Amino acid sequence: MQSRHAKFHTSRILLIALLAGAFSASFAFAADKKMTGTGIFIGMAGKQVGHESANPQEEMSQWTATWTFTSSDPDFDGIIETAPTQVICGPGGCRHQGLLEFRHRNGDFSWGYFQGTHSVNVNQDGSFTMSTDGVKTLVGGTGKFAAIKGELRYSAKDSPFGATFNWTGQVSY
C-alpha cells in the first residue's frame, strides 16, 4: 500500500506531465500560422530562351525573377523573393518550376521550391496578360526560420504579365 507521501508525489508527477503535454500541444498549434498576401513583380534577370519565338505560348526559357510580398503576417510582409525559374510552354499550356529564397526584413532567410501552371494571352495591342496557379513549398531557413515548413498557394487571373499574384499559406516555424 502506497504511503500518503508517495500518492502525493505520484499525483504531482502526473499533473506536471499533463501540463507539459498541454503546453506542448498549445505551442505546436500556435506555431502554425495562416496568412495571405500579394506578390509584386520587381524584375527579371538572365532570361534565356531555348528557341526563338514571337509567341510566348511556345517557349522554353529560364530566368531569375525577383518579387516583393505584402502579407497579413509581419514576418512575411516586405520580404524579397529571388526565384530561378524554368518555363516550358506549348499548345497545351505552360508549366513553371524553380527554387526560391525569401529574404525576411530581419535579415533571416527561408527557402524552398515552387511549381505551377500558367497561360499567357496576347492582347491586340501586343501586350500580354497571364493567369497562373501554383504552390511554393518552404523547407528550411536561417535564424528564426531555421525549421520553417509550409506552403503558399498562389494565383492570378488575367493579370498584366508578371505584375502581381495573390497567395494564401500556412507555415510553421
Side-chain angles (χ1 to χ4, degrees), residues 26-83:
S26 67
F27 181 74
F29 179 75
D32 285 341
K33 293 186 173 193
K34 292 183 179 181
M35 56 187 85
T36 61
T38 301
I40 304 162
F41 184 70
I42 295 175
M44 179 189 302
K47 183 172 182 176
Q48 298 175 336
V49 179
H51 65 280
E52 291 299 322
S53 173
N55 183 351
Q57 295 173 333
E58 295 179 3
E59 179 177 81
M60 291 186 333
S61 57
Q62 58 186 19
W63 61 76
T64 298
T66 307
W67 303 81
T68 186
F69 281 38
T70 66
S71 177
S72 60
D73 184 297
D75 286 336
F76 280 73
D77 191 46
I79 64 173
I80 301 294
E81 176 186 17
T82 304

Short mmCIF file of all heavy atoms in Angstrom, two decimals, residues 26-83:
data_model
loop_
_atom_site.label_atom_id
_atom_site.label_comp_id
_atom_site.label_asym_id
_atom_site.label_seq_id
_atom_site.Cartn_x
_atom_site.Cartn_y
_atom_site.Cartn_z
N SER A 26 -0.35 23.23 -27.19
CA SER A 26 -0.75 24.60 -27.49
C SER A 26 0.38 25.34 -28.19
O SER A 26 0.15 26.16 -29.06
CB SER A 26 -1.18 25.34 -26.22
OG SER A 26 -0.08 25.53 -25.38
N PHE A 27 1.63 25.04 -27.87
CA PHE A 27 2.76 25.66 -28.53
C PHE A 27 2.82 25.24 -29.99
O PHE A 27 3.01 26.05 -30.88
CB PHE A 27 4.06 25.30 -27.82
CG PHE A 27 5.27 25.93 -28.45
CD1 PHE A 27 5.52 27.28 -28.28
CD2 PHE A 27 6.13 25.19 -29.23
CE1 PHE A 27 6.62 27.88 -28.88
CE2 PHE A 27 7.23 25.77 -29.83
CZ PHE A 27 7.47 27.12 -29.65
N ALA A 28 2.62 23.95 -30.27
CA ALA A 28 2.64 23.46 -31.65
C ALA A 28 1.51 24.10 -32.44
O ALA A 28 1.68 24.48 -33.59
CB ALA A 28 2.52 21.94 -31.68
N PHE A 29 0.35 24.25 -31.83
CA PHE A 29 -0.78 24.86 -32.52
C PHE A 29 -0.48 26.33 -32.81
O PHE A 29 -0.74 26.81 -33.90
CB PHE A 29 -2.06 24.73 -31.69
CG PHE A 29 -3.24 25.37 -32.33
CD1 PHE A 29 -3.87 24.77 -33.41
CD2 PHE A 29 -3.73 26.57 -31.86
CE1 PHE A 29 -4.97 25.36 -34.01
CE2 PHE A 29 -4.82 27.17 -32.46
CZ PHE A 29 -5.43 26.56 -33.54
N ALA A 30 0.11 27.03 -31.86
CA ALA A 30 0.41 28.45 -32.04
C ALA A 30 1.47 28.66 -33.10
O ALA A 30 1.54 29.71 -33.71
CB ALA A 30 0.85 29.06 -30.72
N ALA A 31 2.32 27.67 -33.36
CA ALA A 31 3.39 27.81 -34.34
C ALA A 31 2.85 27.77 -35.77
O ALA A 31 3.48 28.27 -36.67
CB ALA A 31 4.44 26.73 -34.14
N ASP A 32 1.68 27.16 -36.00
CA ASP A 32 1.08 27.16 -37.33
C ASP A 32 0.48 28.54 -37.58
O ASP A 32 -0.33 29.02 -36.80
CB ASP A 32 -0.02 26.11 -37.44
CG ASP A 32 0.53 24.71 -37.55
OD1 ASP A 32 1.71 24.55 -37.90
OD2 ASP A 32 -0.23 23.76 -37.29
N LYS A 33 0.91 29.17 -38.66
CA LYS A 33 0.40 30.49 -38.99
C LYS A 33 -0.28 30.46 -40.34
O LYS A 33 0.29 30.00 -41.32
CB LYS A 33 1.54 31.50 -39.03
CG LYS A 33 2.18 31.77 -37.70
CD LYS A 33 3.19 32.88 -37.83
CE LYS A 33 3.71 33.27 -36.46
NZ LYS A 33 4.44 34.52 -36.52
N LYS A 34 -1.50 30.96 -40.37
CA LYS A 34 -2.20 31.14 -41.64
C LYS A 34 -2.03 32.60 -42.05
O LYS A 34 -2.09 33.49 -41.20
CB LYS A 34 -3.68 30.80 -41.49
CG LYS A 34 -3.91 29.33 -41.26
CD LYS A 34 -5.38 29.01 -41.20
CE LYS A 34 -5.56 27.51 -40.98
NZ LYS A 34 -6.95 27.13 -40.94
N MET A 35 -1.78 32.81 -43.34
CA MET A 35 -1.54 34.17 -43.80
C MET A 35 -1.97 34.33 -45.25
O MET A 35 -2.17 33.35 -45.96
CB MET A 35 -0.07 34.53 -43.63
CG MET A 35 0.89 33.58 -44.32
SD MET A 35 2.63 33.88 -43.94
CE MET A 35 2.81 32.97 -42.43
N THR A 36 -2.11 35.58 -45.67
CA THR A 36 -2.47 35.92 -47.04
C THR A 36 -1.61 37.10 -47.48
O THR A 36 -1.00 37.78 -46.65
CB THR A 36 -3.95 36.33 -47.15
OG1 THR A 36 -4.17 37.49 -46.34
CG2 THR A 36 -4.87 35.22 -46.71
N GLY A 37 -1.59 37.34 -48.78
CA GLY A 37 -0.84 38.48 -49.26
C GLY A 37 -0.83 38.58 -50.77
O GLY A 37 -1.58 37.88 -51.47
N THR A 38 0.04 39.45 -51.26
CA THR A 38 0.20 39.69 -52.68
C THR A 38 1.69 39.68 -53.02
O THR A 38 2.49 40.23 -52.27
CB THR A 38 -0.39 41.07 -53.06
OG1 THR A 38 -1.77 41.09 -52.71
CG2 THR A 38 -0.25 41.35 -54.54
N GLY A 39 2.03 39.03 -54.12
CA GLY A 39 3.38 39.08 -54.65
C GLY A 39 3.42 40.14 -55.73
O GLY A 39 2.55 40.18 -56.61
N ILE A 40 4.41 41.03 -55.68
CA ILE A 40 4.52 42.15 -56.62
C ILE A 40 5.84 42.02 -57.37
O ILE A 40 6.91 41.97 -56.76
CB ILE A 40 4.44 43.50 -55.88
CG1 ILE A 40 3.15 43.57 -55.07
CG2 ILE A 40 4.56 44.66 -56.85
CD1 ILE A 40 3.15 44.63 -53.98
N PHE A 41 5.76 41.95 -58.68
CA PHE A 41 6.93 41.75 -59.53
C PHE A 41 7.88 42.94 -59.44
O PHE A 41 7.47 44.09 -59.55
CB PHE A 41 6.46 41.56 -60.98
CG PHE A 41 7.56 41.24 -61.95
CD1 PHE A 41 8.20 40.02 -61.91
CD2 PHE A 41 7.94 42.17 -62.90
CE1 PHE A 41 9.20 39.71 -62.82
CE2 PHE A 41 8.93 41.87 -63.81
CZ PHE A 41 9.57 40.64 -63.77
N ILE A 42 9.18 42.64 -59.24
CA ILE A 42 10.21 43.68 -59.23
C ILE A 42 10.99 43.65 -60.54
O ILE A 42 11.19 44.66 -61.18
CB ILE A 42 11.17 43.51 -58.04
CG1 ILE A 42 10.44 43.73 -56.72
CG2 ILE A 42 12.35 44.47 -58.18
CD1 ILE A 42 11.29 43.45 -55.50
N GLY A 43 11.46 42.46 -60.94
CA GLY A 43 12.26 42.40 -62.16
C GLY A 43 12.64 40.99 -62.53
O GLY A 43 12.38 40.03 -61.81
N MET A 44 13.30 40.89 -63.70
CA MET A 44 13.73 39.60 -64.23
C MET A 44 15.16 39.78 -64.74
O MET A 44 15.47 40.79 -65.38
CB MET A 44 12.81 39.20 -65.38
CG MET A 44 13.16 37.90 -66.05
SD MET A 44 12.18 37.60 -67.56
CE MET A 44 10.52 37.63 -66.94
N ALA A 45 16.01 38.80 -64.48
CA ALA A 45 17.39 38.87 -64.94
C ALA A 45 17.77 37.57 -65.64
O ALA A 45 17.27 36.50 -65.29
CB ALA A 45 18.32 39.11 -63.76
N GLY A 46 18.66 37.66 -66.60
CA GLY A 46 19.27 36.49 -67.23
C GLY A 46 18.33 35.62 -68.02
O GLY A 46 18.51 34.41 -68.05
N LYS A 47 17.36 36.20 -68.72
CA LYS A 47 16.42 35.36 -69.48
C LYS A 47 17.15 34.68 -70.63
O LYS A 47 17.85 35.32 -71.40
CB LYS A 47 15.25 36.18 -70.01
CG LYS A 47 14.24 35.30 -70.73
CD LYS A 47 12.98 36.04 -71.10
CE LYS A 47 12.00 35.07 -71.75
NZ LYS A 47 10.73 35.69 -72.06
N GLN A 48 16.96 33.37 -70.71
CA GLN A 48 17.50 32.57 -71.80
C GLN A 48 16.35 31.80 -72.41
O GLN A 48 15.58 31.16 -71.71
CB GLN A 48 18.56 31.60 -71.29
CG GLN A 48 19.75 32.29 -70.68
CD GLN A 48 20.71 31.30 -70.08
OE1 GLN A 48 20.35 30.19 -69.72
NE2 GLN A 48 21.96 31.70 -69.98
N VAL A 49 16.24 31.87 -73.74
CA VAL A 49 15.16 31.21 -74.45
C VAL A 49 15.73 30.02 -75.21
O VAL A 49 16.74 30.16 -75.90
CB VAL A 49 14.45 32.19 -75.41
CG1 VAL A 49 13.34 31.49 -76.18
CG2 VAL A 49 13.89 33.38 -74.63
N GLY A 50 15.08 28.86 -75.07
CA GLY A 50 15.54 27.65 -75.74
C GLY A 50 15.39 27.69 -77.23
O GLY A 50 16.16 27.09 -77.96
N HIS A 51 14.42 28.41 -77.73
CA HIS A 51 14.26 28.63 -79.16
C HIS A 51 13.54 29.95 -79.34
O HIS A 51 12.74 30.35 -78.51
CB HIS A 51 13.51 27.49 -79.85
CG HIS A 51 12.08 27.33 -79.40
ND1 HIS A 51 11.74 26.70 -78.23
CD2 HIS A 51 10.93 27.76 -79.95
CE1 HIS A 51 10.42 26.72 -78.08
NE2 HIS A 51 9.90 27.36 -79.12
N GLU A 52 13.89 30.66 -80.38
CA GLU A 52 13.28 31.97 -80.61
C GLU A 52 11.83 31.80 -81.05
O GLU A 52 11.53 30.98 -81.90
CB GLU A 52 14.05 32.75 -81.68
CG GLU A 52 15.44 33.18 -81.21
CD GLU A 52 15.41 34.10 -80.01
OE1 GLU A 52 14.52 34.97 -79.93
OE2 GLU A 52 16.27 33.94 -79.14
N SER A 53 10.97 32.57 -80.44
CA SER A 53 9.56 32.50 -80.79
C SER A 53 8.92 33.84 -80.48
O SER A 53 9.13 34.39 -79.41
CB SER A 53 8.87 31.40 -80.00
OG SER A 53 7.49 31.44 -80.21
N ALA A 54 8.17 34.36 -81.40
CA ALA A 54 7.42 35.59 -81.15
C ALA A 54 6.16 35.30 -80.36
O ALA A 54 5.49 36.19 -79.90
CB ALA A 54 7.06 36.26 -82.48
N ASN A 55 5.85 34.02 -80.19
CA ASN A 55 4.64 33.61 -79.49
C ASN A 55 5.03 33.04 -78.12
O ASN A 55 5.62 31.98 -78.04
CB ASN A 55 3.92 32.54 -80.33
CG ASN A 55 2.61 32.11 -79.69
OD1 ASN A 55 2.30 32.48 -78.56
ND2 ASN A 55 1.85 31.32 -80.42
N PRO A 56 4.69 33.75 -77.02
CA PRO A 56 5.08 33.26 -75.69
C PRO A 56 4.35 31.98 -75.30
O PRO A 56 4.64 31.40 -74.27
CB PRO A 56 4.69 34.41 -74.76
CG PRO A 56 3.60 35.12 -75.48
CD PRO A 56 3.91 34.98 -76.95
N GLN A 57 3.43 31.50 -76.12
CA GLN A 57 2.74 30.26 -75.82
C GLN A 57 3.53 29.05 -76.32
O GLN A 57 3.12 27.92 -76.11
CB GLN A 57 1.34 30.28 -76.42
CG GLN A 57 0.47 31.35 -75.75
CD GLN A 57 -0.87 31.51 -76.43
OE1 GLN A 57 -1.02 31.24 -77.61
NE2 GLN A 57 -1.85 31.96 -75.68
N GLU A 58 4.65 29.29 -77.02
CA GLU A 58 5.53 28.21 -77.48
C GLU A 58 6.95 28.60 -77.13
O GLU A 58 7.67 29.20 -77.93
CB GLU A 58 5.37 28.00 -78.99
CG GLU A 58 4.00 27.53 -79.39
CD GLU A 58 3.85 27.36 -80.89
OE1 GLU A 58 4.83 27.55 -81.63
OE2 GLU A 58 2.73 27.03 -81.32
N GLU A 59 7.34 28.26 -75.90
CA GLU A 59 8.62 28.75 -75.43
C GLU A 59 9.20 27.81 -74.39
O GLU A 59 8.48 27.21 -73.61
CB GLU A 59 8.40 30.15 -74.82
CG GLU A 59 9.64 30.78 -74.27
CD GLU A 59 9.36 32.17 -73.74
OE1 GLU A 59 8.87 32.29 -72.59
OE2 GLU A 59 9.63 33.14 -74.46
N MET A 60 10.51 27.68 -74.40
CA MET A 60 11.27 27.08 -73.30
C MET A 60 12.22 28.17 -72.84
O MET A 60 12.97 28.73 -73.66
CB MET A 60 12.08 25.88 -73.78
CG MET A 60 11.24 24.70 -74.16
SD MET A 60 12.18 23.19 -74.56
CE MET A 60 13.74 23.75 -75.12
N SER A 61 12.18 28.51 -71.58
CA SER A 61 13.04 29.59 -71.11
C SER A 61 13.36 29.42 -69.63
O SER A 61 12.74 28.64 -68.93
CB SER A 61 12.39 30.95 -71.38
OG SER A 61 11.13 31.03 -70.76
N GLN A 62 14.36 30.19 -69.23
CA GLN A 62 14.70 30.25 -67.81
C GLN A 62 15.19 31.65 -67.49
O GLN A 62 15.72 32.35 -68.35
CB GLN A 62 15.72 29.20 -67.43
CG GLN A 62 17.02 29.24 -68.15
CD GLN A 62 17.88 28.05 -67.79
OE1 GLN A 62 17.41 27.04 -67.28
NE2 GLN A 62 19.16 28.16 -68.05
N TRP A 63 14.98 32.06 -66.26
CA TRP A 63 15.39 33.37 -65.79
C TRP A 63 15.36 33.38 -64.28
O TRP A 63 14.91 32.43 -63.65
CB TRP A 63 14.48 34.47 -66.34
CG TRP A 63 13.04 34.34 -65.93
CD1 TRP A 63 12.49 34.64 -64.71
CD2 TRP A 63 11.97 33.83 -66.72
NE1 TRP A 63 11.15 34.36 -64.70
CE2 TRP A 63 10.80 33.87 -65.92
CE3 TRP A 63 11.87 33.37 -68.03
CZ2 TRP A 63 9.57 33.45 -66.39
CZ3 TRP A 63 10.64 32.96 -68.49
CH2 TRP A 63 9.51 33.01 -67.68
N THR A 64 15.79 34.47 -63.68
CA THR A 64 15.64 34.67 -62.25
C THR A 64 14.71 35.86 -62.04
O THR A 64 14.99 36.96 -62.53
CB THR A 64 17.00 34.92 -61.57
OG1 THR A 64 17.82 33.77 -61.76
CG2 THR A 64 16.83 35.18 -60.08
N ALA A 65 13.61 35.61 -61.38
CA ALA A 65 12.62 36.66 -61.10
C ALA A 65 12.80 37.14 -59.66
O ALA A 65 13.20 36.38 -58.78
CB ALA A 65 11.21 36.13 -61.29
N THR A 66 12.49 38.40 -59.43
CA THR A 66 12.54 38.99 -58.09
C THR A 66 11.17 39.59 -57.80
O THR A 66 10.60 40.30 -58.64
CB THR A 66 13.62 40.08 -58.01
OG1 THR A 66 14.86 39.53 -58.47
CG2 THR A 66 13.80 40.58 -56.58
N TRP A 67 10.65 39.28 -56.62
CA TRP A 67 9.34 39.73 -56.18
C TRP A 67 9.45 40.31 -54.78
O TRP A 67 10.35 39.97 -54.02
CB TRP A 67 8.36 38.55 -56.09
CG TRP A 67 8.17 37.78 -57.35
CD1 TRP A 67 8.99 36.80 -57.85
CD2 TRP A 67 7.13 37.93 -58.30
NE1 TRP A 67 8.50 36.33 -59.04
CE2 TRP A 67 7.35 37.00 -59.33
CE3 TRP A 67 6.00 38.75 -58.35
CZ2 TRP A 67 6.50 36.88 -60.42
CZ3 TRP A 67 5.15 38.62 -59.43
CH2 TRP A 67 5.40 37.70 -60.45
N THR A 68 8.52 41.16 -54.40
CA THR A 68 8.35 41.56 -53.02
C THR A 68 6.93 41.15 -52.60
O THR A 68 6.07 40.98 -53.46
CB THR A 68 8.58 43.06 -52.79
OG1 THR A 68 8.53 43.32 -51.38
CG2 THR A 68 7.55 43.91 -53.49
N PHE A 69 6.73 40.94 -51.31
CA PHE A 69 5.44 40.45 -50.82
C PHE A 69 4.83 41.44 -49.84
O PHE A 69 5.52 42.01 -49.01
CB PHE A 69 5.62 39.14 -50.05
CG PHE A 69 5.77 37.91 -50.89
CD1 PHE A 69 6.48 37.92 -52.08
CD2 PHE A 69 5.23 36.71 -50.49
CE1 PHE A 69 6.63 36.78 -52.84
CE2 PHE A 69 5.36 35.56 -51.25
CZ PHE A 69 6.06 35.60 -52.43
N THR A 70 3.51 41.60 -49.93
CA THR A 70 2.74 42.14 -48.83
C THR A 70 2.17 40.92 -48.11
O THR A 70 1.98 39.88 -48.72
CB THR A 70 1.59 43.04 -49.30
OG1 THR A 70 0.64 42.25 -50.01
CG2 THR A 70 2.10 44.17 -50.18
N SER A 71 1.92 41.05 -46.82
CA SER A 71 1.41 39.91 -46.07
C SER A 71 0.63 40.36 -44.85
O SER A 71 0.93 41.39 -44.25
CB SER A 71 2.57 39.02 -45.62
OG SER A 71 2.09 37.94 -44.82
N SER A 72 -0.33 39.52 -44.46
CA SER A 72 -1.07 39.73 -43.22
C SER A 72 -0.20 39.37 -42.01
O SER A 72 -0.54 39.70 -40.89
CB SER A 72 -2.34 38.88 -43.22
OG SER A 72 -2.02 37.49 -43.32
N ASP A 73 0.93 38.68 -42.23
CA ASP A 73 1.85 38.30 -41.17
C ASP A 73 3.08 39.20 -41.22
O ASP A 73 3.74 39.27 -42.26
CB ASP A 73 2.26 36.84 -41.35
CG ASP A 73 3.13 36.35 -40.21
OD1 ASP A 73 4.24 36.89 -40.03
OD2 ASP A 73 2.70 35.43 -39.49
N PRO A 74 3.41 39.90 -40.14
CA PRO A 74 4.55 40.82 -40.16
C PRO A 74 5.88 40.16 -40.55
O PRO A 74 6.75 40.82 -41.12
CB PRO A 74 4.63 41.38 -38.74
CG PRO A 74 3.42 40.91 -38.02
CD PRO A 74 2.74 39.87 -38.84
N ASP A 75 6.04 38.86 -40.26
CA ASP A 75 7.29 38.18 -40.62
C ASP A 75 7.43 37.97 -42.13
O ASP A 75 8.52 37.71 -42.62
CB ASP A 75 7.39 36.82 -39.93
CG ASP A 75 7.70 36.94 -38.45
OD1 ASP A 75 8.29 37.97 -38.04
OD2 ASP A 75 7.37 36.00 -37.70
N PHE A 76 6.32 38.05 -42.88
CA PHE A 76 6.36 37.85 -44.33
C PHE A 76 6.06 39.14 -45.10
O PHE A 76 6.21 39.18 -46.31
CB PHE A 76 5.39 36.75 -44.75
CG PHE A 76 5.95 35.38 -44.53
CD1 PHE A 76 6.06 34.86 -43.25
CD2 PHE A 76 6.42 34.63 -45.59
CE1 PHE A 76 6.61 33.61 -43.03
CE2 PHE A 76 6.97 33.37 -45.40
CZ PHE A 76 7.07 32.87 -44.11
N ASP A 77 5.65 40.19 -44.42
CA ASP A 77 5.39 41.46 -45.08
C ASP A 77 6.73 42.12 -45.44
O ASP A 77 7.62 42.22 -44.61
CB ASP A 77 4.59 42.39 -44.16
CG ASP A 77 4.06 43.60 -44.89
OD1 ASP A 77 3.52 43.43 -45.99
OD2 ASP A 77 4.20 44.71 -44.35
N GLY A 78 6.88 42.49 -46.70
CA GLY A 78 8.11 43.16 -47.13
C GLY A 78 9.25 42.23 -47.49
O GLY A 78 10.36 42.70 -47.74
N ILE A 79 9.02 40.91 -47.52
CA ILE A 79 10.11 40.01 -47.91
C ILE A 79 10.46 40.21 -49.38
O ILE A 79 9.66 40.71 -50.16
CB ILE A 79 9.78 38.52 -47.64
CG1 ILE A 79 8.61 38.05 -48.50
CG2 ILE A 79 9.56 38.24 -46.18
CD1 ILE A 79 8.35 36.55 -48.41
N ILE A 80 11.67 39.82 -49.74
CA ILE A 80 12.11 39.82 -51.13
C ILE A 80 12.33 38.37 -51.53
O ILE A 80 13.04 37.63 -50.84
CB ILE A 80 13.42 40.60 -51.31
CG1 ILE A 80 13.26 42.05 -50.85
CG2 ILE A 80 13.90 40.52 -52.76
CD1 ILE A 80 12.30 42.87 -51.69
N GLU A 81 11.69 37.96 -52.62
CA GLU A 81 11.86 36.60 -53.14
C GLU A 81 12.76 36.65 -54.36
O GLU A 81 12.54 37.46 -55.27
CB GLU A 81 10.51 36.00 -53.54
CG GLU A 81 10.67 34.62 -54.19
CD GLU A 81 9.38 34.04 -54.74
OE1 GLU A 81 8.42 34.80 -54.94
OE2 GLU A 81 9.35 32.83 -55.01
N THR A 82 13.76 35.79 -54.40
CA THR A 82 14.59 35.57 -55.57
C THR A 82 14.28 34.15 -56.03
O THR A 82 14.39 33.20 -55.24
CB THR A 82 16.08 35.72 -55.24
OG1 THR A 82 16.28 37.02 -54.67
CG2 THR A 82 16.94 35.56 -56.48
N ALA A 83 13.90 34.01 -57.32
CA ALA A 83 13.39 32.72 -57.78
C ALA A 83 13.95 32.35 -59.16
O ALA A 83 13.39 32.77 -60.18
CB ALA A 83 11.87 32.76 -57.82
#
